[in-house]
Amino acid sequence: MSFERACALADVPTDEALGVTVGAYDVAVARDGDEVYALQDLCSHAAVSLSEGEVADCAVECWLHGSRFDLRTGKPTGLPATEPVATFPVEVREGPDGPSVYVDTTTTLNGVTPS
């Protein structure tokens, strides 16, 4: 695996995702309680940034059309989106400046090829 530092854990809000670039991809980093997730920052229905949507109940909502995506699986849980988005492995590592979020964009957890 090839993890890269995405952001400080403290930079990830509890009610929305944080958009970052990791490797070749724009990634939405989101929290649900103590868990941290990373998805491709691109709605599968329209070319819209998911990091601009709200996060609640382990899902991120696309702000444009209202589709919601499960943070664990990337699967849409509401129309109009019908295709999942890529989800990436995440590690939270302790560092000299506090905990940081690391993401591996060379592989996906759900088998979806990032676009």
Side-chain angles (χ1 to χ4, degrees):
M1 292 200 171
S2 180
F3 285 92
E4 291 184 45
R5 186 181 184 281
C7 60
L9 181 60
D11 292 342
V12 183
T14 56
D15 60 349
E16 58 189 47
L18 176 68
V20 296
T21 300
V22 180
Y25 300 106
D26 291 330
V27 176
V29 178
R31 295 169 80 161
D32 183 64
D34 292 335
E35 297 296 318
V36 180
Y37 303 92
L39 302 92
Q40 186 172 15
D41 193 10
L42 187 67
C43 179
S44 62
H45 168 255
V48 174
S49 175
L50 291 176
S51 64
E52 295 179 27
E54 293 182 7
V55 172
D57 301 323
C58 208
V60 61
E61 182 177 52
C62 176
W63 64 270
L64 187 60
H65 296 116
S67 290
R68 294 172 51 84
F69 295 88
D70 187 298
L71 296 175
R72 298 163 294 215
T73 65
K75 291 181 180 176
T77 59
L79 294 173
T82 58
E83 296 296 319
V85 296
T87 57
F88 303 106
V90 174
E91 289 183 358
V92 176
R93 300 179 185 170
E94 198 60 46
D97 298 325
S100 291
V101 177
Y102 286 78
V103 177
D104 179 5
T105 58
T106 64
T107 187
T108 62
L109 295 172
N110 62 355
V112 174
T113 303
S115 51

